[in-house]
């Protein structure tokens, strides 16, 4: 992946820019969640986000209202290679009553059109010092309760090809690093992801897509048997999306996600040994376009995770309303 990224960046630097325009997208959402511990993980359980973000499942399940403001700056240009879009997006999650969960999500993205039918997307995402919850640290003999936090660096490449007038194929690759705070440093993880997405414009008013991702995560704990805390895993992720353009200016997005996470530890005494988590999520978002620049949204998301290790299961429901404006 690194060689492909460097080669594309080299071509972009060498290609003269013929024209450039700036635009911005500002968005704000107010979200009710019935479990603040699962909120960020559930919200990122999507093909375009981070479908393997870790989570802590405590006994308490506090509710809250979360404000999600975001701003994206976009530079659109044209060169000898074709149209180019470079953007930077900052997204915040601000909790009304549980400010310890407040965090930011930052994304740098490049989309390069290589031909009328082919484009390449490069993306870097950074989520620093995300609070997951209190947890038992394995690095002390008494297993004291400590704050568990994680910083994520994610690199992504997508190649999209229009196959026919109504069919498109996208190949997705990811590489990621997760760094936990010192009390949970054995959980530091390298991961890679690979899979396809197929999209079909079934009707002028309906677009259907199906995606599959395979992910492998390798944690430092696999080489540290003294902690018996190896969270290495294999993950299978499937998403099915249906976008319906109803009576103008109304549209509806429906999505179903299925994920299986199989923990691969073979360390004696590790509670993750033999653990398999199964996650189902349904999402519905209604969109109303006020003008060419302004969009209103109303959404519902429900996530359920079952596990052969009962304490790892959870249910999470999120409901939101939002407004987006393009400058």
């Amino acid at each position: 992946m690194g060689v492909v990224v460097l080669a594309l960046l080299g071509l972009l630097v060498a290609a003269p820019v013929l024209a450039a325009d700036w635009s911005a997208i500002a968005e704000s959402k107010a979200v009710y969640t019935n479990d603040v511990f699962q909120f960020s993980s559930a919200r990122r359980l999507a093909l375009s986000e981070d479908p393997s973000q870790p989570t802590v499942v405590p006994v308490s399940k506090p509710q809250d209202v979360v404000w999600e403001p975001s701003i994206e700056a976009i530079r659109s240009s044209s060169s000898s290679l074709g149209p180019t879009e470079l953007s930077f997006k900052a997204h915040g999650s601000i909790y009304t009553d549980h400010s310890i969960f407040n965090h930011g999500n930052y994304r740098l993205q490049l989309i390069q059109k290589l031909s009328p039918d082919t484009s390449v997307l490069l993306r870097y995402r950074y989520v620093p010092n995300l609070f997951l919850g209190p947890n038992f640290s394995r690095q002390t003999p008494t297993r004291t309760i400590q704050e568990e936090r994680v910083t994520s660096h994610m690199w992504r490449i997508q190649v999209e090809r229009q196959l026919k007038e109504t069919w498109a194929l996208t190949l997705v690759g990811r590489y990621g690093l997760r760094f936990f705070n010192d009390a949970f440093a054995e959980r530091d993880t390298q991961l890679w992801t690979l899979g396809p997405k197929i999209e079909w414009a079934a009707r002028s008013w309906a677009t259907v897509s199906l995606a599959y991702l395979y992910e492998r995560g390798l944690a430092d704990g696999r080489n540290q048997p003294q902690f018996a805390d190896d969270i290495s895993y294999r993950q299978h992720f499937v998403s099915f999306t249906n976008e319906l353009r109803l009576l103008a200016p109304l549209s509806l997005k429906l999505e179903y996600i299925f994920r299986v996470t199989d923990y691969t530890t073979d360390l004696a005494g590790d509670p993750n040994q033999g653990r398999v988590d199964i996650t189902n999520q349904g999402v519905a978002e209604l969109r109303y376009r006020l003008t060419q620049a302004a969009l209103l949204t109303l959404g519902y998301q429900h996530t359920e995770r079952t596990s052969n290790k009962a304490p790892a299961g959870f249910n999470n429901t999120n409901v939101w309303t939002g407004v987006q404006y393009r400058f």
Side-chain angles (χ1 to χ4, degrees):
M1 183 185 297
V3 174
V4 175
V5 171
L6 290 174
L8 183 57
L9 290 176
L11 288 173
L12 290 172
V13 171
V17 176
L18 306 179
D21 293 304
W22 286 90
S23 60
I25 301 174
E27 187 172 17
S28 180
K29 291 182 180 179
V31 191
Y32 162 79
T33 181
N34 70 345
D35 189 346
V36 298
F37 287 94
Q38 311 312 322
F39 176 77
S40 62
S41 176
R43 296 292 278 166
R44 296 196 179 107
L45 184 60
L47 178 71
S48 62
E49 294 286 336
D50 184 3
S52 59
Q53 181 187 293
T55 184
V56 170
V57 186
V59 175
S60 63
K61 301 184 183 301
Q63 305 174 20
D64 209 340
V65 174
V66 185
W67 180 45
E68 290 188 315
S70 67
I71 182 72
E72 182 177 11
I74 305 166
R75 182 180 184 270
S76 301
S77 61
S78 182
S79 70
S80 56
L81 288 178
T84 304
E85 183 180 285
L86 179 66
S87 64
F88 175 77
K89 183 176 182 179
H91 180 282
S93 296
I94 303 172
Y95 293 67
T96 303
D97 297 322
H98 300 82
S99 59
I100 193 172
F101 288 93
N102 292 353
H103 65 277
N105 181 344
Y106 308 95
R107 188 199 75 189
L108 181 63
Q109 179 173 283
L110 173 72
I111 301 176
Q112 178 63 51
K113 197 84 169 177
L114 299 178
S115 73
D117 297 326
T118 306
S119 64
V120 176
L121 176 149
L122 303 176
R123 178 186 295 162
Y124 166 67
R125 188 187 299 276
Y126 173 56
V127 183
N129 202 35
L130 174 65
F131 177 65
L132 299 178
N135 209 346
F136 289 99
S137 172
R138 302 291 184 86
Q139 298 197 27
T140 57
T142 57
R143 295 189 62 190
T144 58
I145 294 180
Q146 304 283 337
E147 288 187 1
E148 184 175 350
R149 293 180 176 270
V150 63
T151 294
S152 298
H153 302 267
M154 295 291 161
W155 294 265
R156 185 186 192 98
I157 182 170
Q158 289 185 187
V159 180
E160 182 175 340
R161 175 78 175 179
Q162 192 74 33
L163 301 177
K164 293 184 179 179
E165 185 177 348
T166 58
W167 290 89
L169 175 66
T170 302
L171 298 178
V172 180
R174 289 201 318 156
Y175 175 76
L177 297 171
R178 301 196 199 276
F179 297 107
F180 289 75
N181 54 319
D182 290 345
F184 299 91
E186 75 278 4
R187 297 188 167 190
D188 290 354
T189 302
Q190 296 185 55
L191 62 92
W192 59 268
T193 314
L194 190 64
K197 172 190 171 186
I198 188 76
E199 186 175 285
W200 174 41
R203 297 287 186 272
S204 60
W205 48 269
T207 301
V208 178
S209 64
L210 179 66
Y212 167 77
L213 296 177
Y214 173 81
E215 182 167 304
R216 183 71 166 112
L218 295 172
D220 287 357
R222 72 188 190 281
N223 299 317
Q224 300 170 322
Q226 68 273 26
F227 300 129
D229 187 28
D230 175 13
I231 60 168
S232 300
Y233 61 90
R234 294 187 181 92
Q235 179 173 283
H236 302 275
F237 171 94
V238 178
S239 69
F240 176 77
T241 305
N242 193 353
E243 297 196 32
L244 306 172
R245 292 167 287 281
L246 308 175
L247 297 175
L250 201 62
S251 63
L252 176 65
K253 180 181 179 180
L254 301 172
E255 187 170 25
Y256 169 69
I257 288 168
F258 177 76
R259 182 184 70 185
V260 177
T261 306
D262 182 8
Y263 289 83
T264 58
T265 177
D266 59 1
L267 299 180
D270 190 338
N272 288 317
Q273 195 171 58
R275 174 180 162 187
V276 179
D277 295 344
I278 297 176
T279 304
N280 290 273
Q281 183 184 91
V283 184
E285 184 174 69
L286 192 63
R287 301 168 178 174
Y288 184 82
R289 186 160 292 283
L290 285 173
T291 66
Q292 283 295 103
L295 181 71
L296 299 178
T297 58
L298 178 65
Y300 174 86
Q301 177 186 66
H302 182 71
T303 309
E304 294 185 4
R305 187 172 83 186
T306 58
S307 176
N308 58 351
K309 307 288 185 179
F314 69 83
N315 287 269
N316 175 235
T317 298
N318 300 312
V319 181
W320 67 90
T321 182
V323 58
Q324 181 188 101
Y325 194 85
R326 187 175 188 121
F327 301 90

